[in-house]
Amino acid sequence: MLTEQNLADMGLQATIVRHPLVQHKLTLMRRKEQSSSAFRALLREISWLLCFEVTRDLPLVPEHIETPVQGMDAPVLQGRKLAFISILRAGNGMLDGMLDVIPSARVGHVGLYRDPETLEAVEYYYKVPNHMEDRLIVVVDPMLATANSAISAVHRLKQGGAKDMRFVCLITAPEGIRAFNEAHPDVPIVTAAVDTKLNDHGYIVPGLGDAGDRIFGTK
Ligand code: PRP
Ligand code: URA
């Protein structure tokens, strides 16, 4: 697994969440014998921790409140409610955990699948909240491999008005970070791990296999 320093040496930019609980849970998820139900539960738990990282710098404003003892100016989140955008279908495995942490967030979905021959992203669904231009948009998908899916989703969201975006994944590889950094240098990547490379089928090595299939038990 690569470090942020390895990435910097390659001219790449991503935040790697090194928290021991994230790393331990990710190892449990990678195991090929892991059940779908355990895989889903672990993904949800890791997503809580990734959610804290990606929202670490949200702006706060003071609001005057009354406690039972006296009045005070206390911090509350500034601006419109943020929106989570799930890249279907595997993104939904992260969405649940994110919503556990921020239940009032708005939610959008971009339906994409990778054409197995060309590895290009094919869109089949798009539905997002209004006022995208005023919200922080957090795009979630466990895997950033070639980055074709994420690049296409973020491009579509920009067309829909989104300006302030972040991308959160579980595992990526240098090829995906490079492609995404080049296509969307304004969108930071937060990930739990950066693996070695992609194989000839565009799968992350060592990775965890097909995230959608492992979440939903479709293989
Ligand atoms: C997986 C994954 C990403 C995409 C990553 O989805 O969830 O969306 O592949 O690969 P890329 O970076 O090379 O585009 P998949 O196409 O398998 O669809 P699914 O979520 O419906 O299983
Ligand atoms: N999509 C996945 O689900 N896994 C990979 O390794 C690459 C793309």
Side-chain angles (χ1 to χ4, degrees):
M1 283 198 294
L2 280 68
T3 64
E4 283 180 13
Q5 186 56 52
N6 297 143
L7 296 182
D9 293 344
M10 291 187 266
L12 304 178
Q13 176 61 47
T15 298
I16 305 173
V17 180
R18 304 288 312 161
H19 194 291
L21 292 176
V22 171
Q23 296 306 316
H24 179 82
K25 288 171 192 288
L26 177 57
T27 300
L28 298 180
M29 292 183 72
R30 288 182 191 267
R31 287 185 168 159
K32 64 180 180 185
E33 68 275 15
Q34 197 61 268
S35 68
S36 273
S37 61
F39 189 93
R40 273 198 301 276
L42 288 160
L43 182 55
R44 185 176 193 140
E45 292 164 13
I46 292 181
S47 299
W48 298 339
L49 298 153
L50 296 179
C51 188
F52 287 116
E53 179 60 35
V54 76
T55 55
R56 166 185 292 285
D57 61 350
L58 288 190
L60 296 166
V61 286
E63 185 176 285
H64 190 77
I65 61 163
E66 297 290 334
T67 79
V69 180
Q70 69 166 41
M72 69 175 287
D73 291 330
V76 292
L77 292 171
Q78 186 183 38
R80 280 194 191 277
K81 293 189 165 52
L82 69 77
F84 293 122
I85 306 295
S86 165
I87 301 181
L88 300 175
R89 55 185 173 143
N92 278 8
M94 298 184 76
L95 189 57
D96 293 338
M98 297 273 166
L99 285 170
D100 287 340
V101 178
I102 311 182
S104 62
R106 302 297 189 244
V107 177
H109 296 89
V110 180
L112 294 171
Y113 69 87
R114 286 203 318 179
D115 182 298
E117 300 299 323
T118 66
L119 301 183
E120 290 300 323
V122 182
E123 183 178 312
Y124 59 89
Y125 188 76
Y126 182 81
K127 183 80 178 174
V128 299
N130 60 11
H131 302 299
M132 290 288 280
E133 62 284 358
D134 297 332
R135 301 182 189 281
L136 171 68
I137 307 296
V138 178
V139 183
V140 299
D141 188 334
M143 311 304 275
L144 184 70
T146 64
N148 288 343
S149 306
I151 289 170
S152 163
V154 168
H155 181 67
R156 188 75 162 79
L157 293 163
K158 284 182 176 173
Q159 286 178 332
K163 291 192 173 70
D164 186 4
M165 274 188 278
R166 293 151 200 209
F167 181 81
V168 187
C169 60
L170 192 61
I171 307 181
T172 183
E175 296 92 323
I177 298 176
R178 186 176 304 284
F180 191 86
N181 281 172
E182 282 174 11
H184 299 294
D186 54 319
V187 181
I189 300 169
V190 174
T191 186
V194 181
D195 281 6
T196 316
K197 60 175 184 172
L198 304 185
N199 68 15
D200 292 344
H201 304 288
Y203 274 80
I204 296 171
V205 180
L208 49 68
D210 186 305
D213 283 341
R214 297 204 59 189
I215 292 167
F216 298 110
T218 40
K219 215 168 212 173

